């Protein structure tokens, strides 16, 4: 029997971000962006089922068997973990995300100063974009912490699940978890507008109703922070429009142009010392950007970013070049990331 607590303590000691429990494979830790085997023997289907279901109550097991997938949080003195359990080719397996115990600051993440400025906007929408597992939630949490530490503001978060726990500093942070504290992102966001917010942080914009009410809130004087899965800033318009009925595209463009303040697009890149660093592209929404959002294709935003250094904008290529010149990442990593932005 594999001791779950010992496994998780070992994962934390190795600075792993995730643990994979998979039939027919050893236990795998994701370290520095790569999957590393940490047991000699491969797990049997019986072992993976025992480890995975050992994290659930009998009621949760019954729900898992019905739905074939189950998400949960485990929190205790030894840490906090986000867990997904599912069936894979007929066998039960699990993926465990190891969560930091407290938010990291913008400075600790070595993010550019412009992100502090975006965290300080009084109203409007700030988006953090990127593909899966690129640290979007970590950056959003750091921005919430920056607001909380420096402003006497009421911050409401709507998350699925809550990953980082905030404590009240200069401001007040009230965190709501989808499924436990509110039915959905949409219902939580709609309720938040009646709760006297200064800042609303939405874990992810997943549907058109959530997007529309978030944009409306941002336009009417609330600061809204959220994440969006998109591969680059110039794809942001088509991503958002893909959620909307064709008849609403004009309204969506108008709302976005009026409310969007900035976009932080990021990638986690492996470093030479075996860790990871954020490389990011930042767009501050200027008059030129507003005009493009209202009328043109998103690919025109690329030229806005490339010519916007005086506004604090940063291109991904310049971010990658800086990391390479500082001998933080390899030439191969720099070239492979930059190739997607040329």
């Amino acid at each position: 029997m594999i001791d779950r607590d010992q496994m998780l303590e070992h994962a934390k000691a190795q600075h792993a971000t995730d643990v994979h429990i998979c039939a027919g494979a050893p236990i795998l830790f994701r370290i520095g962006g790569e999957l590393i085997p940490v047991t000699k023997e491969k797990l049997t289907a019986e072992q993976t089922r025992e480890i995975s279901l050992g994290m659930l109550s009998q009621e949760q097991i019954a729900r898992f068997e019905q739905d074939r997938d189950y998400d949960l949080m485990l929190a205790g003195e030894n840490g906090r973990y986000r867990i997904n359990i599912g069936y894979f080719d007929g066998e039960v397996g699990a993926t465990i995300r190891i969560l930091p115990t407290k938010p990291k600051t913008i400075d600790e993440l070595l993010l550019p100063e412009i992100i502090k400025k975006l965290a300080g906007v009084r109203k409007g929408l700030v988006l953090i974009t990127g593909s899966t597992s690129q640290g979007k939630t970590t950056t959003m949490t750091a921005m919430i912490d920056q607001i909380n530490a420096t402003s006497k503001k009421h911050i409401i978060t709507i998350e699925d699940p809550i990953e980082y726990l905030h404590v009240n500093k200069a401001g007040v942070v009230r965190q709501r978890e989808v499924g436990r504290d509110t039915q959905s992102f949409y219902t939580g966001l709609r309720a938040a507008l009646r709760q006297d917010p200064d800042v609303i942080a939405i874990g992810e914009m997943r549907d058109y109703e959530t997007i529309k009410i978030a944009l409306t809130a941002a336009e009417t004087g609330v600061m809204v922070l959220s994440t969006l899965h998109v591969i680059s800033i110039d794809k942001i318009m088509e991503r958002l429009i893909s959620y909307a009925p064709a008849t609403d595209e004009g309204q969506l463009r108008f709302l976005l142009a009026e409310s969007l303040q900035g976009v932080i697009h990021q990638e986690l890149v492996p470093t030479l010392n075996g860790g990871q660093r954020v490389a990011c592209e930042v767009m501050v929404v200027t008059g030129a950007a507003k005009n493009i959002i209202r009328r043109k294709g998103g690919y025109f935003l690329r030229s806005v970013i490339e010519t916007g250094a005086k506004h604090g904008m940063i291109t991904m290529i310049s971010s990658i070049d800086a990391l390479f010149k500082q001998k933080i990442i390899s030439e191969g990593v720099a070239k492979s990331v930059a190739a997607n932005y040329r």
Side-chain angles (χ1 to χ4, degrees):
M1 173 66 180
I2 294 169
D3 187 288
R4 184 193 70 199
D5 292 337
Q6 286 184 359
M7 176 185 70
L8 294 175
E9 284 300 318
H10 182 46
K12 288 192 291 182
Q14 296 297 312
H15 303 290
T17 57
D18 300 87
V19 178
H20 290 260
I21 308 298
C22 178
I27 293 175
L28 299 165
F29 290 175
R30 186 174 291 280
I31 302 172
E34 295 186 354
L35 290 178
I36 309 296
V38 294
T39 56
K40 292 181 180 179
E41 300 297 325
K42 295 180 179 180
L43 296 172
T44 66
E46 291 77 12
Q47 287 174 315
T48 60
R49 184 179 181 87
E50 187 175 16
I51 296 168
S52 301
L53 298 189
M55 295 183 277
L56 302 180
S57 67
Q58 288 301 314
E59 182 181 345
Q60 290 170 328
I61 290 172
R63 181 70 179 269
F64 165 69
E65 295 292 3
Q66 175 183 316
D67 295 343
R68 318 306 276 178
D69 283 291
Y70 198 87
D71 292 311
L72 75 152
M73 289 285 295
L74 281 183
E77 293 181 0
N78 65 338
R80 302 176 68 249
Y81 309 93
R82 186 183 72 196
I83 301 165
N84 172 268
I85 299 171
Y87 274 94
F88 303 88
D89 196 23
E91 309 295 353
V92 178
T95 305
I96 305 169
R97 168 66 55 88
I98 300 167
L99 303 175
T101 53
K102 65 177 184 177
K104 289 187 176 182
T105 66
I106 290 172
D107 290 336
E108 286 171 337
L109 293 173
L110 302 171
L111 296 170
E113 282 295 308
I114 186 62
I115 293 181
K116 288 184 181 178
K117 186 176 179 180
L118 287 173
V121 302
R122 188 173 61 83
K123 62 180 180 178
L125 173 67
V126 177
L127 284 175
I128 301 145
T129 66
S131 53
T132 304
S133 300
Q134 299 303 311
K136 298 186 297 296
T137 299
T138 303
T139 295
M140 185 169 78
T141 302
M143 294 178 74
I144 293 168
D145 183 72
Q146 174 76 13
I147 300 165
N148 183 27
T150 58
S151 307
K152 295 178 180 178
K153 292 186 175 181
H154 180 206
I155 305 161
I156 298 173
T157 76
I158 306 159
E159 304 171 70
D160 182 20
I162 291 172
E163 294 193 14
Y164 298 84
L165 294 175
H166 292 273
V167 296
N168 297 332
K169 296 180 180 178
V172 175
V173 184
R174 301 167 83 181
Q175 297 179 258
R176 307 191 76 196
E177 185 168 300
V178 172
R180 184 191 68 184
D181 303 313
T182 186
Q183 288 184 336
S184 66
F185 282 113
Y186 171 69
T187 58
L189 178 55
R190 190 175 59 185
L193 294 175
R194 300 191 296 270
Q195 293 163 351
D196 187 32
D198 297 296
V199 179
I200 302 174
I202 310 164
E204 185 183 345
M205 296 210 291
R206 294 180 179 174
D207 57 70
Y208 182 54
E209 290 302 318
T210 300
I211 291 166
K212 192 161 64 171
I213 196 170
L215 290 172
T216 303
E219 189 193 13
T220 54
V222 176
M223 181 194 180
V224 178
L225 268 172
S226 192
T227 71
L228 185 71
H229 289 287
V230 66
I231 60 172
S232 66
I233 288 177
D234 44 320
K235 301 290 186 185
I236 196 167
M237 280 309 306
E238 61 187 73
R239 176 67 169 171
L240 288 171
I241 288 169
S242 72
Y243 287 106
T247 53
D248 284 7
E249 179 179 334
Q251 183 190 17
L252 183 63
R253 282 184 176 276
F254 175 81
L255 285 173
L256 191 64
E258 292 302 308
S259 63
L260 189 64
Q261 296 290 318
V263 182
I264 302 152
H265 181 79
Q266 61 184 58
E267 294 199 24
L268 275 179
V269 294
T271 58
L272 290 169
N273 66 4
Q276 291 178 299
R277 275 282 294 275
V278 171
C280 65
E281 182 162 80
V282 181
M283 181 181 74
V284 177
V285 179
T286 59
K290 287 179 183 290
N291 286 333
I292 289 167
I293 291 168
R294 285 192 194 102
R295 300 186 181 94
K296 299 181 182 179
Y299 57 88
F300 287 105
L301 294 174
R302 175 68 39 210
S303 62
V304 171
I305 300 166
E306 290 171 350
T307 58
K310 66 181 179 182
H311 299 289
M313 299 194 218
I314 301 168
T315 66
M316 183 62 76
I317 289 175
S318 66
S319 180
I320 286 290
D321 284 348
L323 292 175
F324 174 59
K325 288 175 182 175
Q326 294 166 34
K327 295 183 168 52
I328 294 169
I329 63 174
S330 70
E331 184 177 8
V333 167
K335 285 182 175 178
S336 67
V337 176
N340 295 320
Y341 295 87
R342 295 191 188 280

